[in-house]
Amino acid sequence: GQQLNQSPQSMFIQEGEDVSMNCTSSSIFNTWLWYKQDPGEGPVLLIALYKAGELTSNGRLTAQFGITRKDSFLNISASIPSDVGIYFCAGRTGANSKLTFGKGITLSVRP
Amino acid sequence: EAGVTQSPTHLIKTRGQQATLRCSPISGHTSVYWYQQALGLGLQFLLWYDEGEERNRGNFPPRFSGRQFPNYSSELNVNALELEDSALYLCASSHRGLVNEKLFFGSGTQLSVL
């Protein structure tokens, strides 16, 4: 099916450290999106990817669209306390397909 | 420019009642999506409306329904509420037809069923 796998469920890092998250699927996707959700808020779009192999940055965030089109990666460099939140990957398999979300990774940053 | 707005922010109902949640998309967006976010389950796709028509539906029972109005705002109705319907209901909008379509979310309605 179109399930997206994100693991681990939680990550704990020290302020200033870099962190990597990945999102995998058995299905091929043609769009990958990464969202961050703060408590009590809706998810906010961080980065969007549309081509296999594409590497896109947004400040300290960098995301890549995997060559196989079955995975994507998000890297956060030099983490800060406000990076705390839930990070979701989302993907679409076709132009008229729904956007499927992973279960998210909860990131904690220790000062 | 206003973002996606949802109302109410919180809703408390008892089992068996009906709930109506509302969503106003970003100006110019024609598509509205509804997702359910229950604890530990991530975002589960509920419904997708575009240009007033239902385009896709997730694996939810028929008591979850909705509609999209001519101004592209949308309602989600949940009938015969059950305890497990307690969740954050998120609405998102997008500008359909763009190759690089992106979804923008509202802050959600927290539904509690007692």
Side-chain angles (χ1 to χ4, degrees):
Chain A
Q2 297 177 14
Q3 288 192 330
L4 293 179
N5 304 305
Q6 290 186 264
S7 65
Q9 201 170 9
S10 301
M11 299 180 80
F12 299 85
I13 60 173
Q14 201 74 32
E15 184 178 357
E17 287 182 341
D18 299 344
V19 61
S20 290
M21 305 176 190
N22 70 336
C23 184
T24 62
S25 176
S26 58
S27 300
I28 289 175
F29 285 79
N30 66 4
T31 300
W32 290 95
L33 304 174
W34 284 91
Y35 286 85
K36 180 194 177 205
Q37 186 177 28
D38 291 326
E41 298 293 326
V44 173
L45 181 64
L46 298 174
I47 293 180
L49 302 159
Y50 302 104
K51 292 182 191 175
E54 181 181 356
L55 186 71
T56 298
S57 293
N58 178 7
R60 294 178 295 106
L61 277 60
T62 302
Q64 183 159 27
F65 192 139
I67 291 291
T68 65
R69 296 171 62 195
K70 293 182 179 182
D71 56 15
S72 178
F73 304 87
L74 175 71
N75 296 304
I76 304 174
S77 63
S79 59
I80 58 178
S82 62
D83 290 334
V84 164
I86 306 175
Y87 289 80
F88 292 98
C89 65
R92 184 178 280 118
T93 57
N96 291 312
S97 64
K98 67 180 192 289
L99 193 63
T100 299
F101 282 79
K103 290 191 176 181
I105 293 176
T106 299
L107 179 67
S108 298
V109 179
R110 287 186 286 258
Chain B
E1 178 183 297
V4 177
T5 57
Q6 293 187 245
S7 63
T9 53
H10 293 83
L11 190 56
I12 300 175
K13 294 284 186 178
T14 55
R15 198 168 46 184
Q17 284 188 315
Q18 186 239 3
T20 298
L21 288 63
R22 296 179 177 83
C23 173
S24 292
I26 291 172
S27 177
H29 285 188
T30 61
S31 268
V32 169
Y33 300 79
W34 287 95
Y35 284 83
Q36 182 195 65
Q37 186 176 25
L39 272 177
L41 293 180
L43 277 72
Q44 304 295 316
F45 170 72
L46 269 165
L47 289 159
W48 168 23
Y49 291 97
D50 181 58
E51 297 280 0
E53 303 275 331
E54 182 180 301
R55 300 296 185 186
N56 204 338
R57 183 183 178 85
N59 293 328
F60 281 84
R63 57 191 186 83
F64 286 83
S65 65
R67 53 181 173 166
Q68 187 177 33
F69 299 98
N71 66 353
Y72 303 117
S73 67
S74 177
E75 267 183 8
L76 174 69
N77 294 295
V78 188
N79 293 322
L81 284 165
E82 299 178 3
L83 297 178
E84 53 265 34
D85 295 333
S86 295
L88 180 67
Y89 288 83
L90 291 162
C91 170
S93 74
S94 74
H95 192 145
R96 280 288 295 165
L98 295 179
V99 169
N100 56 348
E101 180 191 4
K102 299 167 187 164
L103 267 63
F104 296 88
F105 283 85
S107 296
T109 292
Q110 184 67 54
L111 174 64
S112 299
V113 183
L114 306 177

